[in-house]
Coordinates of all heavy atoms in Angstrom, one line a residue:
M677 N -1.1 -7.2 -9.5 CA -2.1 -6.9 -8.6 C -2.0 -5.6 -7.8 O -0.9 -5.2 -7.4 CB -1.9 -8.0 -7.5 CG -2.6 -7.8 -6.1 SD -2.3 -9.1 -5.0 CE -1.1 -10.2 -5.6
R678 N -3.0 -4.8 -7.7 CA -3.0 -3.5 -7.1 C -3.7 -3.6 -5.7 O -4.8 -4.1 -5.6 CB -3.7 -2.5 -7.9 CG -3.1 -2.1 -9.2 CD -3.9 -1.1 -10.1 NE -4.4 0.0 -9.4 CZ -3.7 1.1 -9.3 NH1 -2.6 1.3 -10.1 NH2 -4.3 2.2 -8.8
I679 N -3.0 -3.2 -4.7 CA -3.4 -3.3 -3.2 C -3.3 -1.9 -2.7 O -2.3 -1.3 -2.7 CB -2.6 -4.2 -2.3 CG1 -2.8 -5.7 -2.9 CG2 -3.2 -4.1 -1.0 CD1 -2.0 -6.7 -2.2
G680 N -4.5 -1.3 -2.2 CA -4.5 -0.1 -1.4 C -3.9 -0.3 0.0 O -4.5 -1.1 0.8
I681 N -3.0 0.5 0.4 CA -2.3 0.3 1.6 C -2.8 1.5 2.5 O -2.5 2.6 2.2 CB -0.7 0.4 1.5 CG1 -0.3 -0.6 0.5 CG2 -0.1 0.2 2.8 CD1 -0.5 -2.0 0.8
V682 N -3.6 1.2 3.5 CA -4.2 2.2 4.3 C -3.6 2.1 5.7 O -3.8 1.3 6.5 CB -5.6 1.9 4.5 CG1 -6.4 3.1 5.3 CG2 -6.4 1.7 3.2
V683 N -2.6 3.0 5.9 CA -1.7 3.1 7.1 C -1.5 4.5 7.5 O -1.5 5.4 6.6 CB -0.4 2.3 6.9 CG1 -0.6 0.8 6.6 CG2 0.5 3.0 5.9
P684 N -1.0 4.7 8.7 CA -0.7 6.0 9.2 C 0.4 6.7 8.3 O 1.3 6.0 7.7 CB -0.1 5.9 10.6 CG -0.7 4.7 11.0 CD -0.8 3.8 9.9
A685 N 0.4 7.9 8.0 CA 1.2 8.7 7.0 C 2.7 8.5 7.5 O 3.5 8.4 6.5 CB 0.8 10.2 7.0
E686 N 3.0 8.4 8.7 CA 4.4 8.4 9.1 C 5.1 7.0 8.9 O 6.3 7.1 8.9 CB 4.5 8.7 10.6 CG 3.7 7.8 11.6 CD 2.3 8.3 11.9 OE1 1.9 9.2 11.3 OE2 1.8 7.8 12.7
I687 N 4.4 6.0 8.4 CA 5.1 4.7 8.1 C 4.7 4.3 6.7 O 5.2 3.2 6.4 CB 4.7 3.6 9.2 CG1 3.2 3.3 9.2 CG2 5.1 4.0 10.6 CD1 2.8 2.1 9.8
I688 N 4.0 5.0 5.9 CA 3.7 4.6 4.6 C 4.9 4.3 3.8 O 4.9 3.3 3.0 CB 2.7 5.6 4.0 CG1 2.1 5.0 2.6 CG2 3.4 6.9 3.6 CD1 1.1 3.9 2.7
D689 N 5.9 5.1 3.8 CA 7.1 4.9 3.0 C 7.8 3.5 3.3 O 8.3 2.8 2.6 CB 8.2 6.0 3.1 CG 7.7 7.2 2.5 OD1 6.8 7.2 1.5 OD2 8.1 8.3 2.9
E690 N 7.9 3.2 4.7 CA 8.5 1.9 5.0 C 7.7 0.8 4.6 O 8.3 -0.3 4.1 CB 8.5 1.9 6.6 CG 9.1 0.7 7.3 CD 8.9 0.8 8.7 OE1 8.8 1.8 9.4 OE2 9.1 -0.3 9.4
I691 N 6.3 0.8 4.6 CA 5.5 -0.2 4.2 C 5.7 -0.4 2.7 O 5.9 -1.6 2.2 CB 4.1 0.0 4.5 CG1 3.9 0.0 6.1 CG2 3.1 -1.1 3.9 CD1 4.1 -1.3 6.8
I692 N 5.6 0.7 1.9 CA 5.7 0.6 0.4 C 7.1 0.1 0.0 O 7.2 -0.7 -0.9 CB 5.5 2.0 -0.3 CG1 4.0 2.4 0.2 CG2 5.6 2.0 -1.7 CD1 2.9 1.6 -0.6
T693 N 8.1 0.5 0.7 CA 9.5 0.0 0.3 C 9.6 -1.5 0.6 O 10.0 -2.2 -0.2 CB 10.5 0.8 1.2 OG1 10.4 2.2 0.9 CG2 11.9 0.3 1.0
F694 N 9.0 -2.0 1.7 CA 9.1 -3.3 2.0 C 8.3 -4.2 1.0 O 8.9 -5.1 0.5 CB 8.4 -3.6 3.4 CG 8.3 -5.0 3.7 CD1 9.3 -5.8 4.1 CD2 7.0 -5.6 3.5 CE1 9.1 -7.2 4.5 CE2 6.7 -7.1 3.9 CZ 7.8 -7.7 4.3
L695 N 7.1 -3.7 0.6 CA 6.3 -4.5 -0.3 C 7.0 -4.6 -1.6 O 7.0 -5.6 -2.3 CB 4.8 -3.8 -0.4 CG 4.0 -4.0 0.7 CD1 2.7 -3.3 0.5 CD2 3.7 -5.5 1.0
S696 N 7.5 -3.4 -2.2 CA 8.1 -3.4 -3.4 C 9.4 -4.2 -3.5 O 9.7 -4.9 -4.6 CB 8.4 -2.0 -3.9 OG 9.3 -1.4 -3.1
G697 N 10.1 -4.4 -2.3 CA 11.3 -5.1 -2.4 C 11.0 -6.6 -2.2 O 11.6 -7.5 -2.9
E698 N 10.1 -7.0 -1.4 CA 9.6 -8.4 -1.2 C 8.7 -9.0 -2.2 O 8.7 -10.2 -2.4 CB 9.2 -8.6 0.1 CG 10.1 -8.3 1.3 CD 11.3 -9.4 1.3 OE1 11.1 -10.5 1.1 OE2 12.5 -8.9 1.6
F699 N 7.8 -8.2 -2.6 CA 6.7 -8.6 -3.4 C 6.6 -7.7 -4.8 O 5.8 -6.8 -4.8 CB 5.4 -8.6 -2.8 CG 5.4 -9.4 -1.6 CD1 5.7 -9.0 -0.3 CD2 5.1 -10.9 -1.7 CE1 5.7 -9.8 0.7 CE2 5.1 -11.6 -0.6 CZ 5.6 -11.3 0.6
P700 N 7.5 -7.8 -5.7 CA 7.5 -6.9 -6.8 C 6.3 -7.0 -7.7 O 5.9 -6.2 -8.6 CB 8.8 -7.4 -7.6 CG 9.1 -8.7 -7.2 CD 8.6 -8.7 -5.8
E701 N 5.5 -8.1 -7.6 CA 4.2 -8.3 -8.4 C 3.1 -7.4 -7.9 O 2.1 -7.4 -8.4 CB 4.0 -9.8 -8.5 CG 3.5 -10.4 -7.2 CD 4.7 -11.0 -6.3 OE1 5.8 -10.7 -6.5 OE2 4.3 -11.7 -5.3
I702 N 3.3 -7.0 -6.5 CA 2.2 -6.2 -6.0 C 2.5 -4.6 -6.4 O 3.5 -4.1 -6.1 CB 2.1 -6.4 -4.5 CG1 1.8 -7.8 -4.2 CG2 1.3 -5.4 -3.7 CD1 1.8 -8.2 -2.7
E703 N 1.6 -4.0 -6.8 CA 1.5 -2.6 -7.0 C 0.8 -2.0 -5.7 O -0.4 -2.0 -5.6 CB 0.9 -2.0 -8.2 CG 1.0 -0.6 -8.4 CD 0.2 -0.2 -9.7 OE1 -0.2 -1.0 -10.5 OE2 -0.1 1.0 -9.7
A704 N 1.6 -1.4 -4.8 CA 1.1 -0.9 -3.6 C 0.6 0.6 -3.9 O 1.4 1.4 -4.2 CB 2.1 -0.9 -2.5
V705 N -0.7 0.9 -3.7 CA -1.2 2.2 -3.8 C -1.5 2.7 -2.4 O -2.2 2.2 -1.6 CB -2.5 2.0 -4.7 CG1 -3.2 3.4 -4.8 CG2 -2.4 1.4 -5.9
P706 N -0.7 3.9 -2.2 CA -0.7 4.4 -0.8 C -2.0 5.1 -0.5 O -2.5 6.0 -1.3 CB 0.5 5.3 -0.7 CG 0.8 5.6 -2.1 CD 0.4 4.4 -3.0
F707 N -2.5 5.0 0.7 CA -3.7 5.7 1.2 C -3.3 6.0 2.6 O -3.9 5.6 3.7 CB -5.0 4.9 1.3 CG -5.5 4.6 -0.2 CD1 -5.1 3.6 -0.9 CD2 -6.5 5.5 -0.7 CE1 -5.6 3.4 -2.2 CE2 -7.0 5.3 -2.0 CZ -6.6 4.3 -2.8
P708 N -2.4 7.1 2.7 CA -1.9 7.4 4.2 C -3.0 8.3 4.9 O -3.7 9.2 4.2 CB -0.7 8.2 3.8 CG -0.8 8.7 2.5 CD -1.7 7.8 1.7
Y709 N -3.0 8.1 6.1 CA -4.0 9.0 7.0 C -3.1 9.5 8.2 O -2.1 8.8 8.6 CB -5.2 8.1 7.3 CG -5.1 7.0 8.2 CD1 -4.9 7.0 9.6 CD2 -4.8 5.7 7.6 CE1 -4.7 6.0 10.4 CE2 -4.7 4.6 8.5 CZ -4.5 4.7 9.8 OH -4.3 3.6 10.6
H710 N -3.8 10.6 8.7 CA -3.2 11.0 10.1 C -4.1 10.7 11.2 O -3.7 10.5 12.4 CB -3.0 12.6 10.0 CG -2.0 13.0 9.0 ND1 -0.6 12.9 9.2 CD2 -2.0 13.4 7.7 CE1 0.1 13.3 8.1 NE2 -0.8 13.6 7.3
S711 N -5.4 10.4 10.9 CA -6.3 10.0 11.9 C -7.4 9.1 11.2 O -7.6 9.4 10.0 CB -7.0 11.3 12.4 OG -8.2 10.9 13.2
I712 N -7.9 8.1 12.0 CA -8.8 7.2 11.3 C -10.0 7.8 10.8 O -10.6 7.4 9.9 CB -9.0 5.9 12.3 CG1 -9.8 6.3 13.4 CG2 -7.8 5.2 12.5 CD1 -10.4 5.2 14.2
V713 N -10.4 9.0 11.3 CA -11.5 9.7 10.8 C -11.4 10.2 9.4 O -12.3 10.4 8.7 CB -12.0 10.8 11.7 CG1 -12.3 10.4 13.2 CG2 -11.0 12.0 11.8
E714 N -10.2 10.2 8.9 CA -9.8 10.7 7.5 C -10.2 9.4 6.5 O -10.3 9.6 5.3 CB -8.4 11.0 7.3 CG -8.0 12.2 8.1 CD -6.6 12.5 8.0 OE1 -5.8 11.7 7.5 OE2 -6.1 13.5 8.7
I715 N -10.1 8.2 7.0 CA -10.2 7.0 6.1 C -11.3 6.9 5.2 O -11.2 6.7 3.9 CB -10.0 5.7 6.9 CG1 -8.6 5.7 7.5 CG2 -10.1 4.5 6.1 CD1 -8.5 4.6 8.5
P716 N -12.7 7.2 5.7 CA -13.8 7.2 4.8 C -13.6 8.1 3.5 O -13.9 7.7 2.5 CB -14.9 7.4 5.7 CG -14.5 7.0 7.1 CD -13.1 7.5 7.1
D717 N -13.2 9.3 3.8 CA -13.0 10.3 2.6 C -11.8 9.7 1.8 O -11.9 10.1 0.6 CB -12.7 11.7 3.2 CG -13.8 12.3 3.9 OD1 -15.1 11.8 3.5 OD2 -13.7 13.2 4.7
L718 N -10.8 9.1 2.3 CA -9.6 8.6 1.4 C -10.1 7.5 0.5 O -9.8 7.4 -0.6 CB -8.5 8.1 2.4 CG -7.7 9.1 3.0 CD1 -6.7 8.2 3.9 CD2 -6.9 9.8 2.0
L719 N -11.1 6.7 1.0 CA -11.4 5.6 0.3 C -12.8 5.7 -0.6 O -13.0 5.0 -1.6 CB -11.7 4.3 1.2 CG -10.6 3.9 2.1 CD1 -10.9 2.8 2.9 CD2 -9.3 3.8 1.4
S720 N -13.5 6.6 -0.3 CA -14.8 6.9 -1.0 C -14.5 7.1 -2.5 O -13.6 8.0 -2.8 CB -15.6 8.2 -0.4 OG -16.1 7.8 0.8
G721 N -15.2 6.5 -3.3 CA -15.0 6.6 -4.7 C -13.8 6.1 -5.4 O -13.5 6.1 -6.5
R722 N -13.0 5.3 -4.6 CA -11.9 4.7 -5.0 C -11.7 3.2 -4.9 O -10.8 2.4 -5.1 CB -10.6 5.3 -4.2 CG -10.4 6.7 -4.5 CD -9.2 7.3 -3.7 NE -9.0 8.8 -4.2 CZ -9.2 9.8 -3.2 NH1 -9.5 9.5 -2.1 NH2 -9.1 10.9 -3.6
Q723 N -12.9 2.6 -4.7 CA -13.0 1.3 -4.5 C -12.6 0.4 -5.8 O -12.0 -0.7 -5.6 CB -14.5 0.8 -4.1 CG -15.0 1.3 -2.9 CD -14.5 0.5 -1.7 OE1 -13.9 -0.6 -1.9 NE2 -14.5 1.0 -0.6
N724 N -12.8 0.9 -6.9 CA -12.4 0.2 -8.1 C -10.9 0.4 -8.5 O -10.5 -0.1 -9.5 CB -13.4 0.6 -9.2 CG -14.9 0.2 -9.0 OD1 -15.0 -1.0 -8.5 ND2 -15.8 0.9 -9.5
S725 N -10.3 1.3 -7.9 CA -8.9 1.6 -8.2 C -7.9 0.6 -7.8 O -6.7 0.5 -8.3 CB -8.5 2.9 -7.7 OG -8.5 3.0 -6.3
V726 N -8.3 -0.4 -6.9 CA -7.5 -1.5 -6.5 C -8.2 -2.6 -6.2 O -9.5 -2.6 -6.3 CB -6.8 -1.1 -5.0 CG1 -5.9 0.1 -5.1 CG2 -7.8 -0.8 -3.9
E727 N -7.5 -3.8 -6.1 CA -8.2 -5.1 -5.9 C -8.8 -5.4 -4.6 O -9.7 -6.0 -4.3 CB -7.4 -6.2 -6.4 CG -7.1 -6.1 -7.9 CD -6.0 -7.1 -8.4 OE1 -6.2 -8.2 -8.1 OE2 -5.1 -6.7 -9.1
T728 N -7.9 -4.9 -3.6 CA -8.3 -5.0 -2.1 C -7.6 -3.8 -1.5 O -6.7 -3.2 -1.9 CB -7.9 -6.4 -1.6 OG1 -8.5 -6.6 -0.4 CG2 -6.4 -6.6 -1.5
F729 N -8.1 -3.6 -0.2 CA -7.4 -2.7 0.8 C -6.8 -3.4 1.9 O -7.4 -4.5 2.4 CB -8.4 -1.7 1.4 CG -8.7 -0.7 0.3 CD1 -10.0 -0.7 -0.4 CD2 -8.0 0.5 0.0 CE1 -10.3 0.2 -1.3 CE2 -8.3 1.4 -0.8 CZ -9.5 1.3 -1.5
L730 N -5.6 -3.0 2.4 CA -4.8 -3.5 3.5 C -4.7 -2.6 4.4 O -4.2 -1.4 4.2 CB -3.4 -4.0 3.0 CG -2.7 -4.7 4.0 CD1 -3.3 -6.1 4.5 CD2 -1.3 -5.2 3.4
F731 N -5.2 -2.7 5.7 CA -5.2 -1.7 6.8 C -4.3 -2.2 7.8 O -3.9 -3.3 8.1 CB -6.6 -1.8 7.5 CG -7.7 -1.3 6.5 CD1 -8.3 -2.0 5.6 CD2 -8.1 0.1 6.7 CE1 -9.3 -1.5 4.9 CE2 -9.1 0.6 5.8 CZ -9.7 -0.2 4.9
L732 N -3.7 -1.1 8.5 CA -2.8 -1.4 9.6 C -3.8 -1.4 10.9 O -4.2 -0.4 11.3 CB -1.8 -0.3 9.9 CG -0.9 -0.6 11.1 CD1 -0.1 -1.7 11.1 CD2 0.0 0.6 11.2
G733 N -4.0 -2.6 11.4 CA -4.9 -2.7 12.6 C -6.3 -2.8 12.3 O -6.9 -2.4 11.4
D734 N -7.0 -3.5 13.2 CA -8.4 -3.9 13.1 C -9.3 -2.6 13.2 O -10.3 -2.5 12.8 CB -8.9 -4.9 14.1 CG -8.5 -6.3 13.6 OD1 -8.4 -6.6 12.5 OD2 -8.2 -7.2 14.6
T735 N -8.7 -1.8 14.1 CA -9.6 -0.5 14.5 C -9.8 0.4 13.2 O -10.9 0.7 12.9 CB -8.8 0.4 15.6 OG1 -8.7 -0.6 16.7 CG2 -9.7 1.6 15.9
A736 N -8.7 0.6 12.4 CA -8.9 1.4 11.1 C -9.8 0.7 10.2 O -10.6 1.4 9.6 CB -7.5 1.5 10.6
R737 N -9.6 -0.6 10.2 CA -10.5 -1.3 9.0 C -12.0 -1.3 9.5 O -12.8 -1.2 8.7 CB -10.0 -2.9 8.9 CG -10.6 -3.5 7.7 CD -10.7 -5.0 7.8 NE -11.5 -5.5 8.8 CZ -11.2 -6.4 9.7 NH1 -10.1 -7.0 9.9 NH2 -12.0 -6.7 10.8
R738 N -12.2 -1.6 10.8 CA -13.6 -1.7 11.2 C -14.2 -0.2 11.1 O -15.4 -0.2 10.8 CB -13.6 -2.1 12.8 CG -13.4 -3.7 12.8 CD -13.4 -4.3 14.2 NE -13.2 -5.7 14.1 CZ -12.6 -6.3 15.2 NH1 -12.2 -5.5 16.2 NH2 -12.2 -7.4 15.1
Y739 N -13.5 0.7 11.5 CA -14.0 2.1 11.4 C -14.5 2.4 9.9 O -15.4 2.9 9.6 CB -13.0 3.1 11.8 CG -13.5 4.6 11.7 CD1 -14.2 5.0 12.8 CD2 -13.2 5.3 10.7 CE1 -14.8 6.3 12.8 CE2 -13.7 6.6 10.7 CZ -14.4 7.1 11.7 OH -14.9 8.4 11.7
A740 N -13.6 2.0 8.9 CA -13.7 2.2 7.5 C -15.0 1.3 7.1 O -15.8 1.9 6.2 CB -12.5 1.9 6.7
E741 N -15.0 0.2 7.5 CA -16.1 -0.7 7.1 C -17.5 -0.1 7.5 O -18.5 -0.3 6.8 CB -16.0 -2.1 7.6 CG -14.9 -2.9 7.0 CD -14.6 -4.3 7.6 OE1 -14.9 -4.5 8.8 OE2 -14.2 -5.2 6.8
K742 N -17.7 0.6 8.7 CA -18.9 1.1 9.0 C -19.2 2.3 8.1 O -20.5 2.5 8.0 CB -18.8 1.6 10.4 CG -18.7 0.5 11.4 CD -18.7 1.0 12.8 CE -18.4 -0.2 13.8 NZ -18.4 0.3 15.2
A743 N -18.3 2.9 7.5 CA -18.6 4.3 6.8 C -18.5 4.0 5.3 O -19.2 4.7 4.6 CB -17.6 5.3 7.1
V744 N -17.8 3.0 4.7 CA -17.7 2.8 3.3 C -18.1 1.5 2.8 O -17.5 0.5 3.4 CB -16.2 3.1 3.0 CG1 -16.0 2.8 1.5 CG2 -15.7 4.4 3.4
P745 N -19.1 1.4 2.2 CA -19.5 0.0 1.6 C -18.4 -0.5 0.7 O -17.7 0.1 -0.1 CB -20.7 0.2 0.8 CG -20.9 1.7 0.7 CD -19.9 2.3 1.4
H746 N -18.1 -1.8 0.8 CA -17.2 -2.5 0.0 C -17.6 -3.8 -0.6 O -18.4 -4.4 0.1 CB -15.8 -2.5 0.8 CG -15.9 -3.5 2.0 ND1 -15.7 -4.8 1.9 CD2 -16.2 -3.1 3.3 CE1 -15.7 -5.2 3.3 NE2 -16.2 -4.3 3.9
V747 N -17.0 -4.2 -1.6 CA -17.5 -5.5 -2.3 C -16.3 -6.5 -2.4 O -16.4 -7.5 -2.8 CB -18.0 -5.1 -3.8 CG1 -19.2 -4.3 -3.9 CG2 -16.8 -4.4 -4.6
T748 N -15.1 -5.9 -2.0 CA -13.8 -6.9 -1.9 C -13.5 -7.1 -0.5 O -14.0 -6.4 0.4 CB -12.6 -6.3 -2.7 OG1 -12.3 -5.2 -2.1 CG2 -13.0 -6.1 -4.1
E749 N -12.7 -8.2 -0.3 CA -12.3 -8.5 1.1 C -11.3 -7.4 1.4 O -10.4 -7.0 0.8 CB -11.5 -9.9 1.0 CG -11.1 -10.2 2.4 CD -10.4 -11.6 2.5 OE1 -10.0 -12.1 1.4 OE2 -10.2 -12.0 3.6
W750 N -11.4 -6.9 2.7 CA -10.4 -6.0 3.2 C -9.6 -6.7 4.2 O -10.2 -7.5 5.0 CB -11.1 -4.8 3.9 CG -11.6 -3.8 2.9 CD1 -11.7 -3.9 1.5 CD2 -12.4 -2.6 3.2 NE1 -12.4 -2.8 1.0 CE2 -12.8 -2.0 2.0 CE3 -12.7 -1.9 4.4 CZ2 -13.5 -0.8 2.0 CZ3 -13.3 -0.8 4.4 CH2 -13.8 -0.2 3.1
L751 N -8.3 -6.5 4.2 CA -7.4 -7.3 5.0 C -6.7 -6.3 6.1 O -6.7 -5.1 5.8 CB -6.3 -8.1 4.2 CG -6.8 -8.9 3.1 CD1 -5.7 -9.2 2.1 CD2 -7.5 -10.0 3.7
T752 N -6.2 -6.9 7.1 CA -5.6 -6.2 8.1 C -4.2 -6.6 8.3 O -3.9 -7.7 8.3 CB -6.3 -6.4 9.6 OG1 -7.7 -6.1 9.5 CG2 -5.7 -5.7 10.7
I753 N -3.2 -5.7 8.4 CA -1.8 -6.0 8.6 C -1.6 -6.6 10.0 O -2.0 -5.8 11.0 CB -0.9 -4.8 8.3 CG1 -1.0 -4.4 6.8 CG2 0.6 -5.1 8.7 CD1 -0.2 -3.0 6.6
P754 N -1.2 -7.8 10.2 CA -0.9 -8.2 11.6 C 0.3 -7.5 12.1 O 1.1 -6.8 11.4 CB -0.6 -9.7 11.3 CG -0.9 -10.0 10.0 CD -0.9 -8.6 9.1
R755 N 0.4 -7.7 13.5 CA 1.3 -6.8 14.2 C 2.8 -7.4 14.1 O 3.8 -6.6 14.2 CB 1.0 -6.7 15.7 CG -0.3 -6.0 16.0 CD -0.1 -4.5 15.7 NE -1.3 -3.8 15.8 CZ -1.5 -2.6 15.4 NH1 -0.5 -2.0 14.8 NH2 -2.7 -2.0 15.6
S756 N 3.0 -8.6 13.7 CA 4.3 -9.2 13.7 C 4.8 -9.2 12.1 O 3.9 -9.6 11.2 CB 4.4 -10.5 14.2 OG 3.9 -11.5 13.4
S757 N 6.0 -9.2 11.8 CA 6.5 -9.1 10.5 C 6.3 -10.5 9.9 O 6.1 -10.7 8.7 CB 7.8 -8.6 10.3 OG 8.7 -9.4 11.1
A758 N 6.5 -11.6 10.7 CA 6.3 -12.9 10.1 C 4.8 -13.2 9.8 O 4.5 -13.8 8.7 CB 6.7 -14.0 11.2
S759 N 3.9 -12.5 10.5 CA 2.5 -12.7 10.1 C 2.2 -11.8 8.8 O 1.4 -12.3 8.1 CB 1.6 -12.2 11.3 OG 1.7 -13.0 12.4
L760 N 2.9 -10.7 8.7 CA 2.6 -9.9 7.5 C 3.1 -10.7 6.3 O 2.5 -10.7 5.3 CB 3.5 -8.6 7.7 CG 3.4 -7.7 6.4 CD1 2.0 -7.3 6.1 CD2 4.3 -6.4 6.8
L761 N 4.3 -11.3 6.4 CA 4.7 -12.2 5.3 C 3.8 -13.3 4.9 O 3.4 -13.6 3.7 CB 6.2 -12.8 5.6 CG 7.3 -11.7 5.5 CD1 8.6 -12.5 5.9 CD2 7.6 -11.3 4.1
R762 N 3.3 -13.9 6.0 CA 2.3 -15.1 5.6 C 1.1 -14.4 5.0 O 0.5 -15.2 4.0 CB 1.9 -15.7 6.9 CG 2.9 -16.7 7.4 CD 2.4 -17.6 8.5 NE 2.0 -16.9 9.7 CZ 2.7 -16.6 10.7 NH1 3.9 -16.9 10.7 NH2 2.1 -15.9 11.7
L763 N 0.7 -13.3 5.4 CA -0.6 -12.7 4.8 C -0.3 -12.5 3.3 O -1.1 -12.8 2.5 CB -0.8 -11.4 5.5 CG -2.1 -10.6 5.0 CD1 -3.2 -11.2 5.2 CD2 -2.0 -9.2 5.6
F764 N 0.8 -11.9 2.9 CA 1.2 -11.6 1.5 C 1.3 -12.8 0.7 O 0.8 -12.8 -0.4 CB 2.3 -10.7 1.4 CG 1.9 -9.2 1.7 CD1 2.4 -8.5 2.9 CD2 1.1 -8.5 0.8 CE1 2.1 -7.3 3.0 CE2 0.7 -7.3 1.0 CZ 1.2 -6.5 2.2
Y765 N 2.0 -13.9 1.3 CA 2.0 -14.9 0.5 C 0.8 -15.7 0.2 O 0.4 -16.2 -0.9 CB 3.0 -16.1 1.1 CG 4.4 -15.8 1.1 CD1 5.2 -15.5 2.1 CD2 5.0 -15.6 -0.2 CE1 6.6 -15.2 2.0 CE2 6.3 -15.3 -0.3 CZ 7.2 -15.0 0.7 OH 8.5 -14.7 0.6
R766 N -0.3 -15.6 1.2 CA -1.5 -16.2 1.1 C -2.3 -15.4 0.0 O -3.0 -15.9 -0.7 CB -2.3 -16.2 2.4 CG -3.6 -16.9 2.4 CD -4.2 -17.0 3.9 NE -4.4 -15.8 4.4 CZ -3.9 -15.5 5.7 NH1 -3.3 -16.3 6.4 NH2 -4.2 -14.3 6.2
A767 N -2.2 -14.1 0.2 CA -2.8 -13.2 -0.8 C -2.4 -13.5 -2.2 O -3.2 -13.6 -3.2 CB -2.7 -11.7 -0.4
R768 N -1.1 -13.6 -2.4 CA -0.5 -13.9 -3.7 C -1.1 -15.3 -4.2 O -1.4 -15.4 -5.4 CB 1.0 -14.0 -3.7 CG 1.6 -14.2 -5.0 CD 3.0 -14.2 -4.9 NE 3.5 -15.3 -4.2 CZ 4.7 -15.6 -3.7 NH1 5.6 -14.8 -4.2 NH2 5.1 -16.7 -3.0
D769 N -1.1 -16.2 -3.3 CA -1.5 -17.5 -3.9 C -3.1 -17.6 -4.1 O -3.5 -18.3 -5.0 CB -1.4 -18.6 -2.6 CG 0.2 -18.9 -2.4 OD1 1.1 -18.5 -3.3 OD2 0.5 -19.5 -1.3
K770 N -3.8 -16.7 -3.5 CA -5.2 -16.6 -3.8 C -5.6 -15.8 -5.2 O -6.5 -15.7 -5.6 CB -6.0 -15.9 -2.7 CG -6.2 -17.0 -1.5 CD -7.1 -16.1 -0.4 CE -7.4 -17.0 0.7 NZ -8.3 -16.4 1.6
G771 N -4.4 -15.1 -5.4 CA -4.5 -14.3 -6.8 C -4.9 -12.9 -6.5 O -5.5 -12.2 -7.5
Y772 N -4.9 -12.4 -5.4 CA -5.3 -10.9 -5.1 C -4.4 -10.1 -5.8 O -3.2 -10.3 -5.9 CB -5.4 -10.7 -3.7 CG -6.5 -11.5 -2.9 CD1 -6.3 -11.9 -1.6 CD2 -7.8 -11.5 -3.4 CE1 -7.3 -12.5 -0.9 CE2 -8.8 -12.1 -2.8 CZ -8.6 -12.6 -1.6 OH -9.6 -13.2 -0.8

C-alpha cells in the first residue's frame, strides 16, 4: 500500500520513521511542505502515484481539497498518537 504523507518538512522524517517501524506494509511517499500554499503544486499530477493522501491537520487537507480534485479518500492525521494508530489500523483493515 502506497500512502502520500503530506506534512510539514520539519517533521516528515519522524512520521516516515514511525510508519516504517510500525506498519512495514505501508510504503510512505513523502510530500513535505513549508507552507500550505505549496500543497496544490506538490499534489498536482501525482494523484495516481499513491492510493491515498494523509495530511497533518484539517486545514492542510481542506486547503488542498479546494485546489486539487481527487478521486480517493484523503485522510487527516489526528493530533494524538493513539488516534494515529487507530487510523492506520483502520486503513489497513479497509485495504488502503
Side-chain angles (χ1 to χ4, degrees):
M677 166 183 6
R678 290 173 53 91
I679 296 179
I681 308 299
V682 185
V683 299
E686 58 268 8
I687 64 168
I688 191 72
D689 291 337
E690 180 181 341
I691 298 291
I692 298 295
T693 299
F694 171 78
L695 288 176
S696 62
E698 295 294 322
F699 300 92
E701 69 275 10
I702 293 175
E703 180 183 348
V705 180
F707 288 88
Y709 63 87
H710 295 281
S711 169
I712 64 169
V713 298
E714 299 171 355
I715 296 173
D717 288 338
L718 282 174
L719 305 185
S720 292
R722 296 185 175 110
Q723 294 286 339
N724 294 327
S725 66
V726 296
E727 295 173 49
T728 191
F729 284 99
L730 182 63
F731 293 82
L732 177 63
D734 285 329
T735 303
R737 190 198 74 225
R738 288 182 180 147
Y739 184 83
E741 286 178 332
K742 290 180 182 178
V744 180
H746 60 92
V747 295
T748 62
E749 180 182 14
W750 287 1
L751 306 169
T752 302
I753 296 174
R755 295 294 179 193
S756 77
S757 56
S759 294
L760 178 59
L761 284 172
R762 282 194 302 274
L763 174 70
F764 280 113
Y765 284 120
R766 187 172 59 234
R768 183 183 61 186
D769 293 343
K770 287 184 175 182
Y772 289 139

